[in-house]
Amino acid sequence: MKLLKIFCLGLCISLSACQHSAIKSQTVATKPVQEASSDIDYTAFKKNKANHKPVVALVLGSGGARGYAHIGVIEVLEQKGIKPDFIVGTSAGSIVGSIYASGKSAQELRDIALKMQVHDVRDFNIKMQGFLDGKKVENYVNKHVGNLPLEELKIPLYVVATELKHGEKVVFNKGNTGQAVRASISIPSMFIPANINGNQYVDGGLVSPVPVNIARELGADIVIAVDILAQPIHTETTNLWGMFNQNINIMQSKLAEEELKNADIVIQPDLREKAHIFDVKGRELTMQAGIDAASEKMEQIEKLFENQPNIKSKFYSAQQ
């Protein structure tokens, strides 16, 4: 599975040249997702700015099974009383982000992750465009968010996907949450593209593996980004599949590097080996990597907050 994913991504990575395409939002009815007639509402956080409250965004990047590290990061932030004004998620980050945005605690996220079974999310449907359908992922997410559409989640969520025909970066922010996540995680040639209102969508990691710029464009004053991409320096390159893997890692790292320059805090868990998505022991180790990485950044985060008294009073009240 891992080797096939690497190969499929290698075939489709050319879409990454569209990384600077204009952002589109999707207005979504509960079923199915419907396209918007206008762009994202960039005034959504105007009230915060009017009250001189800095807007804090949590950006959760793509990375397959490394996505469990996002849960560890959220655990540390939650312990410090830090909760974002909104979340931007790509691929694996959109799965964790959606369930967290529905109101689940970090402990609930951990419990859900450890209980997940193969049959919960994997459904074979062999077609010319792929062999995994993605419908079970959609249903799994909707189950855990209580079937809430994106606009009704307790924390606003923006889900990044790639429009297949033109390779454009698209942001879903209304409607069927599970369907938006399904689009964001649909690895080309592995997952059948998600069909939404007549258009096909695939993995958001192709165009924005760690979508910091979207958070900025939406009005974030403070951006905490979690980068779970494989680091090229740790990739095995002595065999054919390792070389495929390295090609993808280098290209995605370069994409992410430019966006990460615009983040205030970058958390990069030490994930040198990619655990299998259904390996329970691997899940726990990956979550711990997220905890360790976030803990190492807490002094930097606290200093940042000290320079923003409104953030401190808003997020640290529970500790005073």
Side-chain angles (χ1 to χ4, degrees):
M1 184 73 70
K2 174 182 175 182
L3 300 182
L4 180 57
K5 177 178 177 180
I6 293 168
F7 179 72
C8 294
L9 281 175
L11 294 176
C12 303
I13 198 66
S14 59
L15 291 176
S16 64
C18 301
Q19 65 200 17
H20 299 299
S21 301
I23 296 175
K24 293 181 180 180
S25 68
Q26 305 286 318
T27 296
V28 203
T30 301
K31 293 181 180 179
V33 177
Q34 301 293 324
E35 288 190 332
S37 58
S38 61
D39 292 334
I40 289 174
D41 179 8
Y42 289 98
T43 66
F45 302 99
K46 187 176 180 180
K47 182 177 180 181
N48 296 59
K49 293 181 180 291
N51 294 331
H52 305 290
K53 293 181 178 180
V55 176
V56 180
L58 177 62
V59 175
L60 303 177
S62 64
R66 293 183 179 88
Y68 294 117
H70 289 316
I71 298 173
V73 172
I74 290 170
E75 283 185 14
V76 173
L77 296 178
E78 187 177 272
Q79 288 167 6
K80 293 294 183 180
I82 301 171
K83 193 170 186 178
D85 290 292
F86 69 91
I87 300 168
V88 185
T90 292
S91 199
S94 72
I95 297 177
V96 175
S98 63
I99 298 174
Y100 177 50
S102 73
K104 298 289 193 299
S105 67
Q107 183 59 54
E108 288 174 308
L109 283 176
R110 175 179 283 271
D111 292 342
I112 289 170
L114 293 177
K115 291 176 182 176
M116 185 182 70
Q117 302 294 319
V118 175
H119 60 77
D120 292 331
V121 293
R122 189 169 69 186
D123 47 352
F124 288 102
N125 185 10
I126 299 175
K127 293 187 176 181
M128 291 298 293
Q129 289 181 299
F131 57 89
L132 294 175
D133 187 82
K135 183 63 176 177
K136 278 196 171 183
V137 173
E138 177 180 335
N139 293 340
Y140 181 82
V141 169
N142 280 334
K143 171 186 174 182
H144 287 291
V145 303
N147 291 313
L148 290 174
L150 287 164
E151 66 271 22
E152 293 182 19
L153 295 174
K154 291 181 171 57
I155 303 173
L157 174 68
Y158 298 83
V159 176
V160 182
T162 303
E163 192 275 321
L164 181 59
K165 186 173 183 179
H166 300 98
E168 292 182 337
K169 177 168 54 181
V170 178
V171 180
F172 295 101
N173 66 310
K174 293 183 180 178
N176 188 324
T177 301
Q179 193 174 39
V181 171
R182 175 184 181 180
S184 186
I185 60 92
S186 291
I187 301 163
S189 298
M190 182 176 181
F191 280 88
I192 298 166
N195 284 294
I196 299 174
N197 198 33
N199 293 318
Q200 293 186 321
Y201 298 91
V202 293
D203 197 332
L206 292 174
V207 291
S208 189
V210 193
V212 172
N213 290 346
I214 293 171
R216 288 296 187 197
E217 291 170 24
L218 288 167
D221 298 302
I222 302 296
V223 176
I224 300 173
V226 187
D227 174 14
I228 58 170
L229 294 171
Q231 299 304 306
I233 193 173
H234 301 308
T235 305
E236 175 61 56
T237 58
T238 59
N239 56 67
L240 176 63
W241 295 114
M243 290 299 295
F244 270 122
N245 200 12
Q246 184 72 326
N247 290 339
I248 303 308
N249 293 343
I250 290 172
M251 285 187 258
Q252 285 202 311
S253 293
K254 292 299 181 183
L255 282 174
E257 183 179 346
E258 291 304 309
E259 292 206 57
L260 289 172
K261 291 176 182 177
N262 296 321
D264 295 286
I265 302 292
V266 178
I267 298 173
Q268 294 177 306
D270 186 3
L271 298 167
R272 303 187 184 190
E273 296 295 331
K274 187 171 182 179
H276 192 281
I277 190 170
F278 300 116
D279 176 8
V280 175
K281 183 179 179 181
R283 299 179 207 182
E284 293 176 330
L285 291 174
T286 304
M287 283 187 271
Q288 186 59 49
I291 291 172
D292 295 340
S295 298
E296 289 176 2
K297 290 287 184 175
M298 279 315 304
E299 183 177 352
Q300 183 180 342
I301 294 172
E302 288 173 355
K303 286 182 179 179
L304 178 64
F305 285 177
E306 286 172 1
N307 295 326
Q308 299 286 349
N310 287 315
I311 293 182
K312 186 172 182 179
S313 63
K314 181 177 180 181
F315 296 128
Y316 281 73
S317 59
Q319 299 183 30
Q320 295 176 349

